[in-house]
Amino acid sequence: MAAGQTEVSLYTQPWLRPFHIYGGLACNSLMSDSWSDRTPLHEAAYQGRLLHLRTLITQGFHVDTLTMDSVSPLHEACLGGHYACAKFLLENGAKVELVSTDGATPLFNSCSSGSAACVRLILQHSASTHSPVPLASPIHEAAKKGHRECLELLLAYGAHIDMELPGVGTPLYSACKARAAACVQVLLHSGADVQRGCGQDSPLHAAVRSGGANIVDLLKEVCCGHSCPCVGVPQTLEGLTAPPTVSAPACTGPCSLTQICRFSIRRSLGWIRLHRASSLLLPHSIKDFLLYQ
């Protein structure tokens, strides 16, 4: 009779079955897909139920229990934007560099959810700002989702501002394409190369196509100091007709001496140091000038 009750319990509560090793880490024995093999630990992390999470860990659940798609509870906590749960998992030994089958890391999921607290927490635990899978790049995800604070944190921790991915482009290109004006502003002021987009397609092309008039204006301001692709193209952008709601970009005439000075100083600093310009021992007016503020 007792054996029969145990069998029923394992059937109705599959998470009580023994765990196996998958990729060197504990994994649920249910292996059909990423949803059916989710454990209560994954669910508690995603929903932000810290007390339940503590109880499950105390009962013996492995902190890095993986689904068949290599999704960990930390992935779920970050995707849900639950700082307290992510912090608890990390304090109990969760690994920050785990990569799911689709290439997502906890840092990528934090950027996707827009949780700056989770992004800061993961970065403080020495997570790499660069994903091993191009399509799951944290900086591109933050840029296209319009998560400005997450983007600023990534740049402060050394994320490559001009990293160009095949078919995706640079973070600036992604932000222009998604009409994420706040992120475009952050990237431009942090020294992003306005001429690098996606292959031959520039950020300006993406901004015009998406209909972001305010973004086109931001790009024009910076474009003025470079060999801008829109010079001499009053109605179209290198063969691309501008949407009716957007005035066709045109950079005509020489730059002012003020602009030339700003470009020279910014180029000398370079993008790696430019985002730290606000901490320089300079008058506020000069720092605001360098950062377009």
Side-chain angles (χ1 to χ4, degrees), residues 52-97:
H52 191 195
L53 200 62
R54 290 179 182 273
T55 302
L56 291 169
I57 294 294
T58 303
Q59 290 176 349
F61 271 79
H62 194 290
V63 70
D64 278 329
T65 299
L66 298 181
T67 67
M68 185 59 180
D69 286 342
S70 299
V71 175
S72 70
L74 183 58
H75 275 100
E76 298 285 30
C78 292
L79 188 61
H82 301 300
Y83 170 82
C85 289
K87 185 173 183 289
F88 174 75
L89 290 167
L90 287 167
E91 288 173 347
N92 281 271
K95 294 180 175 63
V96 295
E97 297 292 2

Side-chain angles (χ1 to χ4, degrees), residues 269 273-282 287 290-291:
L269 286 172
R273 294 182 296 275
L274 194 55
H275 69 274
R276 299 184 184 276
S278 58
S279 62
L280 294 175
L281 297 177
L282 294 171
K287 287 191 284 189
L290 290 176
L291 298 174

